[in-house]
C-alpha cells in the first residue's frame, strides 16, 4: 500500500452510494449526477476510489469518475465478499461494507478500471437485447409446440403466437444487421479473419469480437481463456483431497457458452481441435472434458489470428498463414 494514497471504499446501490475513506470518515450520496458532483469535491490527485461491480448500478458513477480523471478500480464482487468473510464481521450494512471495501483496497494489488468505449457499450447493449429476444422467441416456439400437442389448438392463440414470432424475427434481423455494421466500422479486418477458422461462423465471429472488445484488452491467449472461465482449478490438499481438475467458471459466461456450442462443429471440421478431442477421449476422459479443451483451443486460435493479421490454414504447422 502506498501511504500517500487516500483510498475511498464505495458500496453502491440503486438510490445511494456509501463511502468510507482511509481516515475512517463516512459519507452517503445520492446515486445521481448531483451526488457524483458532491462526492468528487472530496477527491484530489492522491485519491483512489474502489467499488464492486454491482450489476448496472455502478456504471454511471464509474464513468463519471473516469471522465474526471479519477483513479478507479472496479473489483470482482466475489473477491470482496471473500475478504469480508475473512474478517469475520458480524455487521452487514452499507456503511460497514464501504469500510471493509476501503480496508480491502489497502491490502490487495488493485487493477485500474478501463471501462468501455461508446462503440463497445452500444455493441454490448445490442448483444444483450438480442439475448432477450432470442429467449422470448424460444419461449414462444415452445408454447406453439405445446398448443399443437393439445390436438385442437385455439386458432386465435396460434395466430397470435405466430404473429409475435414474426415480429420478434424482424427485430432480431434488424438488430443483427445494425450490430454487424457497427462492428465493421472498427473491426472489419478481425471479423473477416475470424471467419476463416473452421467451427466459427459469421454470428460466432461477430459475438467473439463484441464480447472481447476486438481482443484489444488481452495480452495472451491464456489470459483470454481465464477471462472466459475456461482455465482449470486444481483441488489438492494433503493426502486425502485430490479431486479432478475442473474449469473455474469464474468469467464471462456468454463467451463460455458461445464457445461450447461451437466446439461440436470444431471437432468435425477443425483438424487441431479434432486432434485434441480424439486424444483426450482415447485416454478415457469424458467427452465434456474434451469439448472444454476444444473451447480453449478455439479461443487461442481466435486470439492468435486476431493479433497476428493472419488467416487460418489447416496445412500449416502453426495453423496460420499470412493474409
Amino acid at each position: 500500500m502506498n501511504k500517500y494514497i487516500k483510498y475511498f471504499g464505495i458500496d453502491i446501490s440503486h438510490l445511494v452510494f456509501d463511502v468510507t475513506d482511509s481516515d475512517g470518515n463516512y459519507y452517503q450520496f445520492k446515486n445521481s449526477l448531483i451526488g457524483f458532483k458532491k462526492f468528487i469535491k472530496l477527491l484530489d490527485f492522491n485519491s483512489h476510489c474502489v467499488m464492486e461491480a454491482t450489476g448496472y448500478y455502478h456504471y454511471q458513477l464509474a464513468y463519471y469518475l473516469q471522465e474526471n480523471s479519477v483513479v478507479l478500480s472496479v473489483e470482482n464482487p466475489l473477491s470482496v465478499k471473500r475478504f469480508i468473510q475473512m474478517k469475520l464481521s458480524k455487521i452487514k450494512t452499507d456503511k460497514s461494507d464501504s469500510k471493509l471495501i476501503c480496508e480491502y483496497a489497502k491490502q490487495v494489488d488493485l487493477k485500474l478500471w478501463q471501462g468501455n468505449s461508446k462503440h463497445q457499450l452500444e455493441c454490448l447493449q445490442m448483444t444483450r437485447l438480442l439475448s432477450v429476444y432470442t429467449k422470448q422467441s424460444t419461449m414462444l416456439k415452445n408454447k406453439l409446440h405445446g398448443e399443437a400437442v393439445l390436438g385442437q389448438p385455439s386458432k386465435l392463440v396460434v395466430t397470435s403466437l405466430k404473429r409475435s414470432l414474426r415480429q420478434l424475427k424482424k427485430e432480431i434481423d434488424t438488430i443483427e444487421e445494425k450490430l454487424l455494421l457497427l462492428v465493421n466500422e472498427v473491426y472489419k479486418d478481425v471479423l473477416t479473419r475470424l471467419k476463416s477458422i473452421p467451427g466459427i461462423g459469421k454470428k460466432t465471429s461477430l459475438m467473439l469480437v463484441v464480447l472481447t472488445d476486438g481482443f484489444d484488452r488481452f495480452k495472451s491467449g491464456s489470459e483470454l481463456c481465464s477471462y472466459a472461465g475456461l482455465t482449470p482449478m486444481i483441488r489438492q490438499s494433503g493426502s486425502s483431497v485430490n479431486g479432478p481438475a475442473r474449469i473455474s467458471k469464474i468469467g464471462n459466461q456468454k463467451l463460455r457458452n458461445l464457445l461450447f456450442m461451437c466446439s461440436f462443429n470444431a471437432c468435425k471440421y477443425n483438424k487441431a481441435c479434432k486432434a485434441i478431442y480424439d486424444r483426450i477421449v482415447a485416454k478415457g476422459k469424458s467427452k465434456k472434458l474434451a469439448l472444454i479443451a476444444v473451447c480453449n483451443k478455439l479461443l487461442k486460435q481466435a486470439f492468435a489470428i486476431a493479433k497476428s493479421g493472419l488467416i487460418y490454414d489447416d496445412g500449416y504447422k502453426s495453423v496460420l498463414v499470412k493474409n
Side-chain angles (χ1 to χ4, degrees), residues 1-169:
M1 182 190 77
N2 189 329
K3 65 180 180 179
Y4 299 109
I5 295 177
K6 188 173 185 179
Y7 293 99
F8 289 80
I10 303 171
D11 183 76
I12 196 162
S13 59
H14 176 43
L15 298 176
V16 299
F17 62 97
D18 299 84
V19 181
T20 302
D21 64 24
S22 301
D23 299 327
N25 299 312
Y26 168 74
Y27 312 89
Q28 187 180 79
F29 304 94
K30 289 183 179 180
N31 190 8
S32 64
L33 185 58
I34 294 173
F36 302 163
K37 288 180 178 179
K38 289 181 179 179
F39 171 54
I40 206 167
K41 290 178 181 178
L42 301 175
L43 310 178
D44 57 30
F45 64 92
N46 284 325
S47 300
H48 190 149
C49 295
V50 183
M51 65 177 76
E52 295 177 281
T54 53
Y56 296 104
Y57 295 147
H58 71 283
Y59 277 115
Q60 289 190 42
L61 176 58
Y63 279 109
Y64 180 84
L65 294 174
Q66 186 184 57
E67 287 170 5
N68 285 275
S69 303
V70 175
V71 178
L72 172 67
S73 295
V74 180
E75 294 294 294
N76 188 315
L78 184 60
S79 298
V80 179
K81 182 181 179 181
R82 292 288 183 263
F83 178 83
I84 292 174
Q85 289 175 337
M86 184 180 68
K87 289 292 184 178
L88 301 176
S89 176
K90 295 180 180 180
I91 303 173
K92 180 70 174 72
T93 64
D94 293 336
K95 180 179 179 179
S96 66
D97 282 352
S98 66
K99 181 180 179 182
L100 286 167
I101 291 172
C102 186
E103 290 295 319
Y104 168 89
K106 296 176 184 178
Q107 299 184 38
V108 302
D109 185 18
L110 299 168
K111 291 184 179 180
L112 298 184
W113 188 68
Q114 295 180 355
N116 295 306
S117 65
K118 290 182 178 179
H119 177 273
Q120 173 71 354
L121 283 173
E122 189 171 0
C123 287
L124 288 172
Q125 287 179 55
M126 288 184 180
T127 301
R128 287 192 286 265
L129 185 57
L130 277 174
S131 179
V132 170
Y133 283 165
T134 302
K135 288 177 182 177
Q136 288 179 351
S137 179
T138 301
M139 182 181 68
L140 290 173
K141 287 176 182 177
N142 290 339
K143 179 63 177 173
L144 192 60
H145 174 73
E147 294 297 325
V149 171
L150 290 175
Q152 293 181 332
S154 166
K155 290 183 179 180
L156 177 65
V157 171
V158 170
T159 302
S160 179
L161 286 170
K162 287 183 176 179
R163 184 168 59 246
S164 297
L165 274 170
R166 285 196 299 271
Q167 184 59 38
L168 269 177
K169 187 178 185 306

Side-chain angles (χ1 to χ4, degrees), residues 60-297:
Q60 289 190 42
L61 176 58
Y63 279 109
Y64 180 84
L65 294 174
Q66 186 184 57
E67 287 170 5
N68 285 275
S69 303
V70 175
V71 178
L72 172 67
S73 295
V74 180
E75 294 294 294
N76 188 315
L78 184 60
S79 298
V80 179
K81 182 181 179 181
R82 292 288 183 263
F83 178 83
I84 292 174
Q85 289 175 337
M86 184 180 68
K87 289 292 184 178
L88 301 176
S89 176
K90 295 180 180 180
I91 303 173
K92 180 70 174 72
T93 64
D94 293 336
K95 180 179 179 179
S96 66
D97 282 352
S98 66
K99 181 180 179 182
L100 286 167
I101 291 172
C102 186
E103 290 295 319
Y104 168 89
K106 296 176 184 178
Q107 299 184 38
V108 302
D109 185 18
L110 299 168
K111 291 184 179 180
L112 298 184
W113 188 68
Q114 295 180 355
N116 295 306
S117 65
K118 290 182 178 179
H119 177 273
Q120 173 71 354
L121 283 173
E122 189 171 0
C123 287
L124 288 172
Q125 287 179 55
M126 288 184 180
T127 301
R128 287 192 286 265
L129 185 57
L130 277 174
S131 179
V132 170
Y133 283 165
T134 302
K135 288 177 182 177
Q136 288 179 351
S137 179
T138 301
M139 182 181 68
L140 290 173
K141 287 176 182 177
N142 290 339
K143 179 63 177 173
L144 192 60
H145 174 73
E147 294 297 325
V149 171
L150 290 175
Q152 293 181 332
S154 166
K155 290 183 179 180
L156 177 65
V157 171
V158 170
T159 302
S160 179
L161 286 170
K162 287 183 176 179
R163 184 168 59 246
S164 297
L165 274 170
R166 285 196 299 271
Q167 184 59 38
L168 269 177
K169 187 178 185 306
K170 286 181 182 178
E171 292 295 331
I172 289 172
D173 290 343
T174 300
I175 295 168
E176 285 181 342
E177 184 181 344
K178 297 281 187 182
L179 181 60
L180 180 60
L181 289 172
L182 196 60
V183 171
N184 273 329
E185 288 178 7
V186 181
Y187 298 113
K188 185 176 181 179
D189 182 52
V190 175
L191 194 60
T192 301
R193 286 186 276 109
L194 284 177
K195 288 185 285 188
S196 69
I197 304 174
I200 294 182
K202 293 181 180 178
K203 289 186 179 181
T204 303
S205 301
L206 183 64
M207 294 304 295
L208 275 174
V209 171
V210 172
L211 294 175
T212 63
D213 199 6
F215 300 88
D216 289 339
R217 294 172 178 265
F218 305 96
K219 297 178 181 179
S220 68
S222 298
E223 185 182 344
L224 181 55
C225 288
S226 179
Y227 170 75
L230 289 169
T231 50
M233 288 183 68
I234 309 300
R235 297 187 300 152
Q236 293 180 347
S237 180
S239 58
S240 60
V241 178
N242 189 15
R246 295 177 180 174
I247 59 172
S248 66
K249 293 188 179 181
I250 302 174
N252 192 307
Q253 186 179 9
K254 287 183 180 179
L255 183 56
R256 193 165 59 248
N257 291 342
L258 180 71
L259 289 163
F260 191 75
M261 294 304 295
C262 292
S263 64
F264 296 95
N265 277 334
C267 290
K268 296 178 183 178
Y269 306 113
N270 190 311
K271 287 185 179 179
C273 291
K274 187 177 186 304
I276 288 175
Y277 180 85
D278 290 342
R279 184 169 68 250
I280 292 175
V281 171
K283 291 180 180 179
K285 304 292 184 179
S286 70
K287 291 182 178 179
K288 186 175 181 180
L289 181 66
L291 287 172
I292 290 169
V294 170
C295 291
N296 259 288
K297 185 64 176 178

